[in-house]
Amino acid sequence: MSSSGGDPRRPERIQRYVAPTAVLNANGERKDVPGEDLTPDYMNVLGMIFSMCALMLRIKWCSWIAVYCSCISFANTKYNDDTKQIMSSFMLSISAVVMSYLQNPSPMPLPFSS
């Protein structure tokens, strides 16, 4: 650093960083940004599909995959996302596991071994 010069920074040139996920449209709703991570949403939908398959078709491995997808969805959510939908998906997957073992308490055979 040189002791003869003043502060080289220019405060009039400072631009505050705005995160791309914080962009709002005119109505105040969050706008989809191309770089936004949609993994929690996909895992939430997959968890619900596997939960419904487990409940209706009585397939135990579908219920365990639903629990796995729900855990991934819950772990990857952001603080400001809708927690009601994620928790309802999680509870649906847990109920699929409980109901599949209440209907048939025998251990689950592996799906590819017969």
Side-chain angles (χ1 to χ4, degrees), residues 14 21-22 34 38 43 54 57 68-69 88 97 100 107 110:
I14 295 175
T21 57
L38 296 176
M43 287 296 143
L57 303 175
Y68 182 70
C69 290
S88 65
V97 170
S100 64
L110 294 176

Side-chain angles (χ1 to χ4, degrees), residues 1-35:
M1 291 188 58
S2 67
S3 60
S4 64
D7 191 5
R9 295 177 288 186
R10 295 176 283 178
E12 69 275 359
R13 299 284 305 217
I14 295 175
Q15 293 182 357
R16 296 301 250 175
Y17 174 75
V18 177
T21 57
V23 176
L24 301 176
N25 63 9
N27 297 334
E29 298 171 349
R30 196 172 70 157
K31 188 170 70 171
D32 289 335
V33 179

